[in-house]
Amino acid sequence: MAGDYIPIDHDLPDKPEVLGIIEATGEPVDVVVFRLFNLWRLADQNTLDGVIRNCGPRGLASRCGGTADFWLAVEAKTKTDENPEGWLVFQDGNAIIPRFKDRFRKSAKQRRIEGRERKQEWRKKKRDNLGTTLGQPVGQTCDHDHLEPEPEPEPEPEPEPEQEQEPEVLGVASATPCAAAAARKARKKPAEDRSREILEVFAHYRTFHPGSFPAPKSGMKEWAKVRARLGEGYSVADLCAAIDGCHRSPYHCGENDKGKVYQNLELIVRDATHVEDLRAIPEQQPVLSEKEMRGQRAGQQWLDRMEEQDAHDATS
């Protein structure tokens, strides 16, 4: 979406007014044009009529750059026979841009006001259309107690078996939008809250990785995986056992071709297969923390280097 904008002439740097400002102030053309842009942008954002109130030459200097003398020169050098008011007038303590509405059509502030009005009108029409669709007075909310049920058809002599229909709510036909919404709400079962169990699994994982998941949130993918496994019938103890098994597995501890550790929680509870495989790792292997595993790997690397040095000494 484009931001706010103001119209500026392509030949602004070449206009006689700009050349007059350059001659009077000694400022380069790019500085003059940029300060004029700041002036018009300030008026566009904050006024509807181009009157910047309580702002004189010194005020413009602090807001748009330059000095008070620079802005007095703008006032003096932009007046011509065709445009006796010029581009800027200081009057009664205000900075005024003459013919502001003609130059800038609609200011950014005016566009924001009109945008809010359009949104309010659109919301009102939407509310009116909703009331008309439901057959209620405009502005009245949908209320089941005010809707009468449609008459039921008389039974036929030999009705054929029909499929089970969705129950009607409060005697309102299911074709009614309010009734359909109420029926869905009645059928919907509240989701079982497993937050406590999920947090227990995260807490057990942190015994190996204290810096991980300091504040677990329901939007995390690990949270969703743990919840899914609990929904499949696994208990908290089962998932904790899978975490323990992962930290007993030499392969997952880094003893693999890549020397990479595979111990993130998402991997452990990714699916039922991972949980079952990791739970099945023999328990006689010690469960090592991450720090202990790093020490173990460092010790093994030291022993390997010593063996290589001994073999080198023996052959030399």
Side-chain angles (χ1 to χ4, degrees), residues 26-114:
E27 298 286 359
V29 63
D30 55 341
V31 172
V32 173
V33 170
F34 182 68
R35 289 175 183 171
L36 290 173
F37 164 75
N38 283 337
L39 167 66
W40 296 327
R41 179 180 59 85
L42 177 65
D44 185 68
Q45 287 182 332
N46 297 281
T47 74
L48 297 175
D49 53 5
V51 179
I52 307 173
R53 290 169 175 77
N54 301 318
C55 186
R58 285 182 298 212
L60 281 186
S62 65
R63 296 292 299 277
C64 304
T67 63
D69 291 338
F70 173 86
W71 293 107
L72 290 172
V74 172
E75 180 184 27
K77 295 299 181 179
T78 55
K79 295 179 180 179
T80 63
D81 295 338
E82 296 83 5
N83 182 18
E85 294 178 324
W87 293 358
L88 177 64
V89 175
F90 292 108
Q91 183 178 346
D92 299 330
N94 301 324
I96 303 172
I97 299 178
R99 298 187 296 113
F100 177 79
K101 293 183 179 179
D102 295 337
R103 289 183 177 181
F104 297 100
R105 304 295 190 276
K106 294 181 180 179
S107 67
K109 186 173 182 179
Q110 179 66 32
R111 291 196 295 270
R112 289 195 296 270
I113 293 174
E114 293 180 356

Coordinates of all heavy atoms in Angstrom, one line a residue, residues 26-114:
G26 N 22.2 32.0 -1.4 CA 23.4 31.3 -1.6 C 23.4 29.8 -1.4 O 24.4 29.1 -1.5
E27 N 22.2 29.3 -1.1 CA 22.1 27.8 -0.9 C 22.0 27.1 -2.3 O 21.5 27.6 -3.2 CB 20.8 27.5 -0.1 CG 20.8 28.1 1.3 CD 21.7 27.4 2.2 OE1 22.3 26.4 1.8 OE2 21.7 27.8 3.4
P28 N 22.6 25.8 -2.3 CA 22.5 25.1 -3.6 C 21.1 24.7 -3.9 O 20.2 24.6 -3.0 CB 23.4 23.9 -3.3 CG 23.5 23.8 -1.8 CD 23.3 25.2 -1.3
V29 N 20.8 24.3 -5.1 CA 19.4 24.0 -5.5 C 18.9 22.8 -4.8 O 17.7 22.8 -4.5 CB 19.4 23.8 -7.1 CG1 20.3 22.6 -7.5 CG2 18.0 23.6 -7.6
D30 N 19.7 21.8 -4.6 CA 19.1 20.6 -3.9 C 18.7 20.9 -2.5 O 17.7 20.4 -2.0 CB 20.2 19.4 -3.9 CG 21.5 19.8 -3.3 OD1 21.8 21.0 -3.2 OD2 22.3 18.9 -2.9
V31 N 19.4 21.8 -1.8 CA 19.0 22.2 -0.4 C 17.7 23.0 -0.5 O 16.8 22.7 0.4 CB 20.1 23.0 0.2 CG1 19.7 23.6 1.6 CG2 21.4 22.1 0.4
V32 N 17.6 23.9 -1.4 CA 16.4 24.7 -1.5 C 15.2 23.8 -1.8 O 14.1 23.9 -1.2 CB 16.6 25.8 -2.6 CG1 15.2 26.5 -2.8 CG2 17.7 26.8 -2.2
V33 N 15.3 22.9 -2.8 CA 14.2 22.1 -3.2 C 13.8 21.2 -2.0 O 12.6 21.0 -1.7 CB 14.5 21.2 -4.4 CG1 13.5 20.2 -4.7 CG2 14.7 22.1 -5.6
F34 N 14.8 20.6 -1.3 CA 14.4 19.7 -0.2 C 13.7 20.5 1.0 O 12.8 20.0 1.6 CB 15.7 19.1 0.4 CG 15.5 18.1 1.5 CD1 14.8 16.9 1.2 CD2 15.9 18.4 2.8 CE1 14.6 16.0 2.3 CE2 15.6 17.5 3.8 CZ 15.0 16.3 3.5
R35 N 14.1 21.7 1.3 CA 13.5 22.5 2.3 C 12.1 22.8 1.9 O 11.1 22.8 2.7 CB 14.3 23.7 2.6 CG 15.6 23.4 3.4 CD 16.5 24.6 3.6 NE 17.7 24.3 4.2 CZ 18.8 25.2 4.3 NH1 18.6 26.4 3.9 NH2 19.9 24.8 4.9
L36 N 11.9 23.2 0.6 CA 10.5 23.4 0.2 C 9.6 22.2 0.3 O 8.4 22.3 0.7 CB 10.5 23.9 -1.3 CG 11.1 25.3 -1.5 CD1 11.2 25.6 -3.0 CD2 10.2 26.4 -0.9
F37 N 10.2 21.1 0.0 CA 9.5 19.8 0.1 C 9.1 19.6 1.6 O 7.9 19.2 1.9 CB 10.3 18.6 -0.4 CG 9.8 17.3 0.1 CD1 8.7 16.7 -0.5 CD2 10.5 16.6 1.1 CE1 8.2 15.5 0.0 CE2 10.0 15.4 1.6 CZ 8.9 14.8 1.0
N38 N 10.0 19.8 2.5 CA 9.7 19.7 3.9 C 8.5 20.6 4.3 O 7.7 20.3 5.2 CB 10.9 20.0 4.8 CG 11.9 18.8 4.8 OD1 11.5 17.7 4.5 ND2 13.1 19.1 5.0
L39 N 8.5 21.9 3.8 CA 7.5 22.8 4.1 C 6.1 22.3 3.7 O 5.1 22.3 4.4 CB 7.8 24.2 3.4 CG 6.6 25.2 3.4 CD1 6.3 25.6 4.8 CD2 7.0 26.3 2.5
W40 N 6.0 21.8 2.4 CA 4.8 21.3 1.9 C 4.3 20.0 2.6 O 3.1 19.8 2.8 CB 4.9 21.2 0.4 CG 5.1 22.5 -0.3 CD1 4.7 23.7 0.0 CD2 5.9 22.7 -1.5 NE1 5.1 24.6 -0.9 CE2 5.9 24.0 -1.8 CE3 6.7 21.8 -2.3 CZ2 6.5 24.6 -2.9 CZ3 7.3 22.4 -3.4 CH2 7.3 23.7 -3.7
R41 N 5.3 19.2 2.9 CA 5.0 18.0 3.6 C 4.4 18.3 5.0 O 3.4 17.6 5.4 CB 6.2 17.1 3.7 CG 6.0 15.8 4.5 CD 7.3 15.0 4.5 NE 8.3 15.7 5.2 CZ 8.5 15.8 6.5 NH1 7.6 15.1 7.3 NH2 9.5 16.4 7.1
L42 N 5.0 19.2 5.7 CA 4.5 19.6 7.0 C 3.1 20.1 6.9 O 2.2 19.7 7.7 CB 5.4 20.7 7.6 CG 5.0 21.3 9.0 CD1 5.1 20.2 10.0 CD2 5.9 22.4 9.3
A43 N 2.8 21.0 5.9 CA 1.4 21.5 5.8 C 0.5 20.4 5.4 O -0.7 20.3 5.8 CB 1.4 22.6 4.8
D44 N 0.9 19.5 4.5 CA 0.0 18.4 4.0 C -0.4 17.4 5.1 O -1.5 17.0 5.2 CB 0.8 17.7 2.9 CG -0.1 16.6 2.3 OD1 -1.1 17.0 1.6 OD2 0.2 15.4 2.4
Q45 N 0.5 17.2 6.0 CA 0.3 16.2 7.1 C -0.6 16.8 8.2 O -1.3 16.1 8.9 CB 1.6 15.7 7.7 CG 2.3 14.7 6.8 CD 3.6 14.2 7.4 OE1 4.2 14.9 8.2 NE2 4.0 13.0 7.0
N46 N -0.5 18.1 8.4 CA -1.1 18.7 9.7 C -2.2 19.7 9.4 O -2.7 20.2 10.4 CB 0.1 19.3 10.5 CG 1.1 18.3 10.9 OD1 0.9 17.6 11.9 ND2 2.2 18.3 10.2
T47 N -2.5 20.1 8.2 CA -3.5 21.1 8.0 C -4.4 20.6 6.9 O -4.1 19.8 6.1 CB -2.9 22.4 7.6 OG1 -2.4 22.4 6.2 CG2 -1.7 22.8 8.5
L48 N -5.6 21.3 6.9 CA -6.6 21.1 5.8 C -6.6 22.3 4.9 O -7.1 22.2 3.7 CB -8.0 20.9 6.4 CG -8.2 19.7 7.2 CD1 -9.6 19.7 7.8 CD2 -7.9 18.4 6.4
D49 N -6.1 23.5 5.3 CA -6.1 24.7 4.6 C -4.8 25.3 4.3 O -4.7 26.4 3.7 CB -7.0 25.7 5.3 CG -6.6 25.9 6.8 OD1 -5.5 25.4 7.1 OD2 -7.2 26.6 7.5
G50 N -3.7 24.7 4.7 CA -2.4 25.2 4.4 C -1.9 26.2 5.4 O -0.9 26.9 5.2
V51 N -2.6 26.4 6.5 CA -2.2 27.3 7.6 C -1.5 26.6 8.7 O -2.2 25.8 9.4 CB -3.4 28.1 8.1 CG1 -3.0 29.1 9.2 CG2 -4.1 28.9 7.0
I52 N -0.2 26.8 8.8 CA 0.6 26.2 9.9 C 0.5 27.1 11.1 O 1.3 28.1 11.1 CB 2.0 25.9 9.4 CG1 2.0 25.1 8.2 CG2 2.7 25.1 10.5 CD1 3.3 24.8 7.5
R53 N -0.3 26.9 12.0 CA -0.5 27.8 13.1 C 0.6 27.9 14.1 O 1.3 26.9 14.4 CB -1.9 27.5 13.8 CG -3.1 27.8 12.9 CD -4.4 27.2 13.4 NE -5.5 27.7 12.6 CZ -5.8 27.1 11.4 NH1 -5.0 26.1 10.9 NH2 -6.8 27.6 10.7
N54 N 0.8 29.1 14.7 CA 1.8 29.3 15.7 C 3.2 28.9 15.2 O 4.0 28.3 15.9 CB 1.5 28.6 17.0 CG 0.2 29.0 17.6 OD1 -0.1 30.2 17.6 ND2 -0.6 28.0 18.0
C55 N 3.5 29.3 13.9 CA 4.8 28.9 13.3 C 5.3 30.0 12.4 O 4.7 30.3 11.4 CB 4.6 27.6 12.5 SG 6.2 27.0 11.9
G56 N 6.3 30.7 12.9 CA 6.9 31.8 12.1 C 8.2 31.4 11.4 O 8.4 30.2 11.3
P57 N 9.0 32.3 11.0 CA 10.2 31.9 10.3 C 11.1 31.0 11.1 O 11.7 30.1 10.6 CB 10.9 33.3 10.0 CG 9.7 34.3 10.0 CD 8.8 33.8 11.0
R58 N 11.3 31.4 12.4 CA 12.2 30.5 13.2 C 11.6 29.1 13.4 O 12.3 28.1 13.5 CB 12.4 31.2 14.6 CG 13.4 32.4 14.5 CD 13.6 33.0 15.8 NE 12.4 33.6 16.4 CZ 12.4 34.6 17.2 NH1 13.5 35.3 17.5 NH2 11.2 35.1 17.6
G59 N 10.2 29.1 13.6 CA 9.6 27.8 13.7 C 9.8 26.9 12.5 O 10.1 25.7 12.6
L60 N 9.7 27.5 11.3 CA 9.9 26.7 10.1 C 11.4 26.3 10.0 O 11.7 25.2 9.5 CB 9.5 27.5 8.8 CG 8.1 27.6 8.5 CD1 7.9 28.4 7.2 CD2 7.4 26.2 8.4
A61 N 12.3 27.1 10.4 CA 13.7 26.8 10.4 C 14.0 25.6 11.2 O 14.8 24.7 10.8 CB 14.5 28.0 10.8
S62 N 13.3 25.5 12.4 CA 13.5 24.3 13.3 C 12.9 23.0 12.7 O 13.3 21.9 13.0 CB 13.1 24.6 14.7 OG 11.6 24.8 14.7
R63 N 11.8 23.2 12.0 CA 11.0 22.0 11.5 C 11.5 21.6 10.1 O 11.4 20.4 9.8 CB 9.5 22.4 11.5 CG 8.9 22.7 12.8 CD 8.8 21.5 13.7 NE 8.0 20.4 13.1 CZ 6.7 20.3 13.2 NH1 6.0 21.3 13.8 NH2 6.1 19.3 12.6
C64 N 11.8 22.5 9.3 CA 12.1 22.2 7.9 C 13.5 22.5 7.4 O 13.9 22.2 6.3 CB 11.2 23.0 7.0 SG 9.4 22.8 7.3
G65 N 14.4 23.0 8.3 CA 15.8 23.3 8.0 C 16.0 24.7 7.6 O 15.1 25.5 7.3
G66 N 17.3 25.1 7.6 CA 17.6 26.5 7.2 C 17.5 27.4 8.4 O 17.6 27.0 9.5
T67 N 17.4 28.7 8.0 CA 17.4 29.7 9.1 C 16.1 30.6 8.9 O 15.4 30.4 7.8 CB 18.6 30.6 9.0 OG1 18.6 31.3 7.7 CG2 19.9 29.8 9.1
A68 N 15.9 31.5 9.8 CA 14.7 32.4 9.7 C 14.9 33.2 8.4 O 13.9 33.5 7.7 CB 14.6 33.2 10.9
D69 N 16.1 33.7 8.2 CA 16.4 34.5 7.0 C 16.1 33.8 5.7 O 15.6 34.4 4.7 CB 17.8 35.0 7.0 CG 18.1 36.0 8.1 OD1 17.1 36.7 8.6 OD2 19.3 36.2 8.5
F70 N 16.4 32.5 5.7 CA 16.1 31.7 4.5 C 14.6 31.7 4.2 O 14.2 31.9 3.0 CB 16.6 30.2 4.7 CG 16.2 29.3 3.6 CD1 16.9 29.2 2.5 CD2 15.0 28.6 3.7 CE1 16.6 28.3 1.4 CE2 14.6 27.7 2.6 CZ 15.4 27.6 1.5
W71 N 13.7 31.5 5.2 CA 12.3 31.4 5.0 C 11.7 32.8 4.7 O 10.7 32.9 3.9 CB 11.6 30.8 6.2 CG 12.0 29.3 6.2 CD1 12.8 28.7 7.2 CD2 11.6 28.3 5.3 NE1 13.0 27.4 6.9 CE2 12.2 27.1 5.8 CE3 10.8 28.3 4.2 CZ2 12.1 25.9 5.1 CZ3 10.6 27.1 3.5 CH2 11.3 25.9 4.0
L72 N 12.3 33.9 5.2 CA 11.9 35.2 4.8 C 12.2 35.5 3.3 O 11.5 36.1 2.6 CB 12.6 36.3 5.7 CG 12.1 36.3 7.2 CD1 13.0 37.2 8.0 CD2 10.6 36.7 7.2
A73 N 13.4 34.9 2.9 CA 13.7 35.0 1.5 C 12.7 34.2 0.6 O 12.4 34.7 -0.5 CB 15.1 34.5 1.2
V74 N 12.3 33.1 1.1 CA 11.2 32.3 0.3 C 10.0 33.2 0.2 O 9.3 33.2 -0.9 CB 10.9 31.0 1.1 CG1 9.7 30.3 0.4 CG2 12.2 30.1 1.0
E75 N 9.6 33.8 1.3 CA 8.4 34.7 1.2 C 8.6 35.8 0.2 O 7.6 36.1 -0.6 CB 8.1 35.2 2.6 CG 6.9 36.1 2.6 CD 6.7 36.8 4.0 OE1 7.7 36.9 4.7 OE2 5.5 37.1 4.3
A76 N 9.7 36.4 0.2 CA 9.9 37.6 -0.7 C 10.2 37.2 -2.1 O 9.7 37.9 -3.0 CB 11.1 38.4 -0.1
K77 N 10.9 36.2 -2.4 CA 11.4 35.9 -3.8 C 10.4 35.0 -4.6 O 10.6 34.8 -5.8 CB 12.7 35.1 -3.7 CG 13.8 36.0 -3.2 CD 14.1 37.2 -4.0 CE 15.2 38.1 -3.5 NZ 15.4 39.3 -4.4
T78 N 9.3 34.5 -3.9 CA 8.3 33.7 -4.7 C 7.1 34.5 -5.1 O 6.2 34.0 -5.7 CB 7.9 32.5 -3.9 OG1 7.3 33.0 -2.6 CG2 9.0 31.6 -3.6
K79 N 7.1 35.8 -4.9 CA 6.0 36.7 -5.3 C 6.3 37.2 -6.7 O 7.4 37.7 -7.0 CB 5.8 37.9 -4.4 CG 5.4 37.5 -3.0 CD 5.3 38.7 -2.0 CE 4.9 38.2 -0.6 NZ 4.8 39.4 0.3
T80 N 5.3 37.0 -7.6 CA 5.5 37.4 -9.0 C 4.2 38.2 -9.4 O 3.2 38.3 -8.6 CB 5.6 36.2 -9.9 OG1 4.4 35.4 -9.9 CG2 6.8 35.4 -9.5
D81 N 4.2 38.8 -10.6 CA 3.1 39.5 -11.1 C 1.9 38.6 -11.3 O 0.7 39.0 -11.0 CB 3.4 40.2 -12.4 CG 4.5 41.2 -12.3 OD1 4.6 41.7 -11.1 OD2 5.2 41.6 -13.3
E82 N 2.1 37.4 -11.7 CA 1.0 36.4 -11.9 C 0.5 35.9 -10.5 O -0.6 35.5 -10.4 CB 1.4 35.2 -12.8 CG 1.7 35.6 -14.2 CD 3.2 36.2 -14.4 OE1 3.9 36.1 -13.3 OE2 3.5 36.6 -15.5
N83 N 1.4 35.8 -9.6 CA 1.1 35.2 -8.3 C 1.6 36.2 -7.2 O 2.7 36.0 -6.6 CB 1.8 33.8 -8.1 CG 1.4 33.2 -6.8 OD1 0.5 33.6 -6.1 ND2 2.2 32.2 -6.4
P84 N 0.9 37.3 -6.9 CA 1.4 38.3 -6.0 C 1.5 37.8 -4.5 O 2.2 38.3 -3.7 CB 0.3 39.4 -6.1 CG -0.9 38.7 -6.6 CD -0.4 37.6 -7.5
E85 N 0.8 36.7 -4.2 CA 0.9 36.1 -2.8 C 2.1 35.3 -2.6 O 2.5 35.1 -1.5 CB -0.4 35.3 -2.5 CG -1.7 36.1 -2.5 CD -2.9 35.2 -2.3 OE1 -2.9 34.1 -2.8 OE2 -3.8 35.6 -1.6
G86 N 2.7 34.7 -3.7 CA 3.8 33.9 -3.6 C 3.5 32.5 -3.1 O 2.4 32.1 -3.1
W87 N 4.6 31.8 -2.6 CA 4.4 30.5 -2.1 C 4.3 30.4 -0.6 O 3.9 29.4 -0.1 CB 5.7 29.7 -2.5 CG 5.8 29.4 -4.0 CD1 4.9 29.8 -5.0 CD2 6.8 28.8 -4.7 NE1 5.3 29.5 -6.2 CE2 6.5 28.8 -6.1 CE3 8.0 28.2 -4.3 CZ2 7.3 28.2 -7.0 CZ3 8.8 27.6 -5.2 CH2 8.5 27.6 -6.6
L88 N 4.6 31.5 0.1 CA 4.6 31.5 1.6 C 4.4 32.9 2.1 O 4.9 33.9 1.6 CB 6.0 31.0 2.1 CG 6.2 30.9 3.6 CD1 5.2 29.9 4.2 CD2 7.6 30.5 3.9
V89 N 3.5 32.9 3.1 CA 3.2 34.2 3.7 C 3.2 34.0 5.2 O 2.6 33.1 5.8 CB 1.8 34.7 3.3 CG1 1.4 36.0 4.1 CG2 1.7 35.0 1.8
F90 N 3.9 34.9 5.9 CA 3.8 34.9 7.4 C 2.9 36.0 7.9 O 3.0 37.2 7.5 CB 5.2 35.2 8.0 CG 6.2 34.1 7.7 CD1 7.2 34.3 6.8 CD2 6.1 32.9 8.4 CE1 8.1 33.3 6.5 CE2 7.0 31.9 8.1 CZ 8.0 32.1 7.2
Q91 N 1.9 35.6 8.6 CA 0.8 36.5 9.0 C 0.3 36.1 10.4 O -0.1 34.9 10.6 CB -0.3 36.6 8.0 CG -1.4 37.6 8.3 CD -2.4 37.6 7.2 OE1 -2.2 37.0 6.1 NE2 -3.6 38.2 7.5
D92 N 0.2 37.1 11.3 CA -0.4 36.8 12.7 C 0.3 35.6 13.4 O -0.4 34.8 14.0 CB -1.9 36.6 12.6 CG -2.6 37.8 12.0 OD1 -2.1 39.0 12.2 OD2 -3.6 37.6 11.3
G93 N 1.6 35.5 13.2 CA 2.2 34.4 13.9 C 2.1 33.0 13.2 O 2.4 32.0 13.8
N94 N 1.5 33.0 12.0 CA 1.2 31.7 11.3 C 2.0 31.7 10.0 O 2.3 32.8 9.4 CB -0.3 31.5 11.0 CG -1.1 31.5 12.3 OD1 -0.7 31.0 13.3 ND2 -2.3 32.1 12.2
A95 N 2.3 30.5 9.6 CA 2.9 30.3 8.2 C 1.8 29.8 7.3 O 1.2 28.8 7.6 CB 4.1 29.3 8.3
I96 N 1.5 30.6 6.2 CA 0.4 30.3 5.3 C 0.9 30.0 3.9 O 1.8 30.7 3.4 CB -0.6 31.5 5.3 CG1 -1.0 31.8 6.7 CG2 -1.8 31.2 4.4 CD1 -1.9 33.1 6.8
I97 N 0.4 28.9 3.4 CA 0.7 28.5 2.0 C -0.5 28.9 1.1 O -1.6 28.3 1.2 CB 1.0 27.0 1.8 CG1 2.2 26.6 2.7 CG2 1.2 26.7 0.4 CD1 2.5 25.2 2.6
P98 N -0.4 30.0 0.4 CA -1.6 30.5 -0.4 C -2.0 29.5 -1.4 O -1.2 28.7 -2.0 CB -1.0 31.8 -1.1 CG 0.1 32.2 -0.3 CD 0.8 30.9 0.2
R99 N -3.3 29.5 -1.7 CA -3.9 28.6 -2.7 C -3.5 27.1 -2.4 O -3.3 26.4 -3.3 CB -3.6 29.0 -4.1 CG -4.1 30.4 -4.4 CD -3.9 30.8 -5.9 NE -2.5 30.9 -6.2 CZ -1.9 30.0 -7.1 NH1 -2.5 29.1 -7.6 NH2 -0.6 30.2 -7.4
F100 N -3.5 26.8 -1.1 CA -3.1 25.4 -0.8 C -4.0 24.3 -1.4 O -3.5 23.3 -1.9 CB -3.1 25.3 0.8 CG -2.7 23.9 1.3 CD1 -1.4 23.5 1.4 CD2 -3.7 23.0 1.7 CE1 -1.0 22.3 1.8 CE2 -3.3 21.8 2.2 CZ -2.0 21.4 2.2
K101 N -5.3 24.5 -1.3 CA -6.2 23.5 -1.8 C -6.1 23.4 -3.3 O -6.3 22.3 -3.9 CB -7.6 23.8 -1.4 CG -7.9 23.7 0.1 CD -9.3 24.0 0.4 CE -9.6 23.9 1.9 NZ -11.0 24.2 2.3
D102 N -5.8 24.5 -4.0 CA -5.7 24.4 -5.5 C -4.4 23.6 -5.9 O -4.4 22.9 -6.9 CB -5.7 25.8 -6.1 CG -7.0 26.5 -5.9 OD1 -8.0 25.8 -5.7 OD2 -7.0 27.8 -5.9
R103 N -3.4 23.8 -5.1 CA -2.1 23.2 -5.4 C -2.1 21.7 -5.1 O -1.6 20.9 -5.8 CB -1.0 23.9 -4.7 CG -0.7 25.3 -5.3 CD 0.5 25.9 -4.5 NE 0.9 27.2 -5.1 CZ 1.9 27.9 -4.6 NH1 2.7 27.4 -3.6 NH2 2.2 29.0 -5.1
F104 N -2.6 21.4 -3.9 CA -2.4 20.0 -3.3 C -3.7 19.2 -3.3 O -3.7 18.1 -2.7 CB -1.8 20.1 -1.9 CG -0.4 20.8 -1.9 CD1 -0.2 22.1 -1.6 CD2 0.7 20.0 -2.3 CE1 1.0 22.7 -1.6 CE2 1.9 20.6 -2.3 CZ 2.1 21.9 -1.9
R105 N -4.7 19.8 -3.9 CA -6.0 19.0 -4.0 C -6.5 18.6 -2.6 O -7.0 19.4 -1.9 CB -5.9 17.8 -4.9 CG -5.4 18.1 -6.3 CD -6.4 18.9 -7.1 NE -6.0 19.0 -8.5 CZ -5.2 19.8 -9.0 NH1 -4.5 20.7 -8.2 NH2 -4.9 19.9 -10.3
K106 N -6.2 17.4 -2.2 CA -6.6 16.9 -0.9 C -5.3 16.6 -0.1 O -4.5 15.8 -0.5 CB -7.4 15.6 -1.0 CG -8.8 15.8 -1.7 CD -9.6 14.5 -1.7 CE -10.9 14.8 -2.4 NZ -11.7 13.5 -2.5
S107 N -5.2 17.2 1.1 CA -4.1 16.9 1.9 C -4.1 15.5 2.5 O -5.2 14.8 2.5 CB -4.0 17.9 3.1 OG -5.1 17.7 3.9
A108 N -3.0 15.1 3.0 CA -3.0 13.7 3.7 C -3.9 13.7 4.8 O -4.6 12.7 5.1 CB -1.5 13.4 4.1
K109 N -4.0 14.8 5.6 CA -5.0 14.8 6.7 C -6.4 14.6 6.2 O -7.2 13.9 6.8 CB -4.8 16.1 7.5 CG -5.7 16.1 8.8 CD -5.3 17.3 9.6 CE -6.1 17.4 10.9 NZ -5.8 18.6 11.7
Q110 N -6.8 15.3 5.1 CA -8.1 15.2 4.5 C -8.4 13.8 4.0 O -9.5 13.3 4.2 CB -8.3 16.2 3.4 CG -9.6 16.2 2.7 CD -10.7 16.6 3.6 OE1 -10.5 17.5 4.5 NE2 -11.9 16.1 3.5
R111 N -7.3 13.2 3.4 CA -7.5 11.8 2.9 C -7.8 10.9 4.1 O -8.5 9.9 4.0 CB -6.3 11.4 2.1 CG -6.2 12.1 0.8 CD -5.2 11.4 -0.2 NE -3.8 11.4 0.4 CZ -2.9 12.4 0.1 NH1 -3.3 13.4 -0.6 NH2 -1.7 12.3 0.6
R112 N -7.1 11.1 5.2 CA -7.3 10.2 6.4 C -8.7 10.4 6.9 O -9.4 9.4 7.3 CB -6.3 10.5 7.4 CG -4.8 10.1 7.1 CD -4.0 10.1 8.4 NE -3.8 11.4 8.9 CZ -2.8 12.2 8.6 NH1 -1.9 11.9 7.7 NH2 -2.7 13.4 9.1
I113 N -9.2 11.6 6.9 CA -10.6 11.8 7.4 C -11.6 11.2 6.5 O -12.5 10.5 7.0 CB -10.8 13.3 7.5 CG1 -10.0 14.0 8.6 CG2 -12.3 13.6 7.8 CD1 -10.1 15.5 8.7
E114 N -11.4 11.3 5.2 CA -12.3 10.7 4.3 C -12.2 9.2 4.3 O -13.2 8.5 4.2 CB -12.0 11.2 2.9 CG -12.4 12.7 2.7 CD -12.1 13.2 1.3 OE1 -11.6 12.3 0.5 OE2 -12.3 14.3 1.0

